[in-house]
Amino acid sequence: DVKVTQSSRYLVKRTGEKVFLECVQDMDHENMFWYRQDPGLGLRLIYFSYDVKMKEKGDIPEGYSVSREKKERFSLILESASTNQTSMYLCASTGYNQPQHFGDGTRLSIL
Amino acid sequence: GNSVTQMEGPVTLSEEAFLTINCTYTATGYPSLFWYVQYPGEGLQLLLKATKADDKGSNKGFEATYRKETTSFHLEKGSVQVSDSAVYFCALIQMTGSARQLTFGSGTQLTVLP
């Protein structure tokens, strides 16, 4: 089975902090994705990556950056956290012609 | 661009009731269509999929048929159980650059009462 692991289930940070959310997949997938999930808005794509060191903006990239130094790891970075970034963050990965596999999510609270 | 519209929730049913969650889409070309399920406290899991018109995806008693003429992919189950309580997301896939990108609906919360 594909395993997508997000480093934290729950995280509490303060406004202005730099926050790192980590995601690791074990199936050698090329594509990895970061979404945020908010009530009534469904899932919105923040960034995705289709190869090491490659990244593309999704629908809501403002206030975020990403890093993909190794194929199995895709990091989401909040450069200066703000309260409107309190959300559930979901990581996903997929190989060629396969459905996306999701991690369990990180519930991030910015105080 | 592509979009997915699904039935707003929350939906509350009694055990053994019939379930329909409507999903319609707007897309160029011929997207693949998916239903994902999110149980409380967990990430999303693929429930079923259909890759071309008239395909029927099915899993765990759930079914959905890819209807190109009505651009719909409605989720159905004949007899729901308490364990089906979850949030259900309809989604389609598109190519963006070199990546396959999912577009999600807003999700429908289902609660099944014993």
Side-chain angles (χ1 to χ4, degrees):
Chain A
D1 268 0
V2 175
K3 185 81 173 163
V4 179
T5 304
Q6 294 183 228
S7 53
S8 304
R9 292 297 301 273
Y10 301 93
L11 205 55
V12 180
K13 296 292 182 181
R14 295 206 175 273
T15 304
E17 281 193 70
K18 190 168 186 176
V19 181
F20 294 84
L21 302 183
E22 306 287 347
C23 176
V24 176
Q25 50 93 4
D26 65 358
M27 283 301 292
D28 203 36
H29 284 166
E30 294 82 12
N31 301 328
M32 296 187 75
F33 305 80
W34 274 107
Y35 297 87
R36 62 177 285 176
Q37 181 181 11
D38 299 288
L41 298 176
L43 276 75
R44 293 179 292 167
L45 181 65
I46 304 170
Y47 266 97
F48 62 97
S49 168
Y50 53 89
D51 202 351
V52 176
K53 296 192 188 294
M54 307 301 286
K55 60 185 179 184
E56 288 197 23
K57 294 179 179 178
D59 300 320
I60 50 164
E62 296 78 18
Y64 302 94
S65 62
V66 290
S67 172
R68 184 119 183 250
E69 296 297 318
K70 293 185 178 180
K71 194 174 186 180
E72 68 270 19
R73 184 180 297 271
F74 191 37
S75 303
L76 179 69
I77 304 156
L78 286 66
E79 297 292 343
S80 177
S82 63
T83 54
N84 63 11
Q85 292 177 310
T86 291
S87 186
M88 168 73 91
Y89 289 87
L90 289 165
C91 175
S93 74
T94 184
Y96 177 76
N97 205 31
Q98 294 179 19
Q100 290 194 357
H101 297 268
F102 284 82
D104 286 338
T106 296
R107 190 167 291 282
L108 175 64
S109 296
I110 306 297
L111 305 178
Chain B
N2 295 353
S3 67
V4 176
T5 303
Q6 64 180 98
M7 174 176 156
E8 286 191 21
V11 174
T12 303
L13 296 173
S14 297
E15 204 164 26
E16 299 184 2
F18 184 85
L19 169 71
T20 301
I21 301 178
N22 290 341
C23 172
T24 58
Y25 67 89
T26 303
T28 54
Y30 302 94
S32 294
L33 302 174
F34 303 85
W35 276 100
Y36 279 82
V37 59
Q38 184 179 33
Y39 297 105
E42 298 183 13
L44 273 70
Q45 302 174 25
L46 179 66
L47 180 60
L48 53 85
K49 68 176 181 179
T51 58
K52 60 183 188 296
D54 299 325
D55 265 3
K56 178 187 281 187
S58 61
N59 186 25
K60 299 182 181 180
F62 291 89
E63 293 183 340
T65 301
Y66 188 161
R67 302 281 187 206
K68 193 170 187 306
E69 64 276 14
T70 54
T71 61
S72 65
F73 193 55
H74 303 322
L75 183 68
E76 296 181 337
K77 186 173 185 182
S79 177
V80 293
Q81 306 299 312
V82 172
S83 57
D84 293 328
S85 297
V87 181
Y88 293 83
F89 292 92
C90 185
L92 64 83
I93 207 152
Q94 62 185 95
M95 287 299 296
T96 302
S98 299
R100 300 166 76 236
Q101 179 179 332
L102 275 171
T103 299
F104 286 91
S106 57
T108 302
Q109 171 78 55
L110 170 66
T111 302
V112 180
L113 302 176

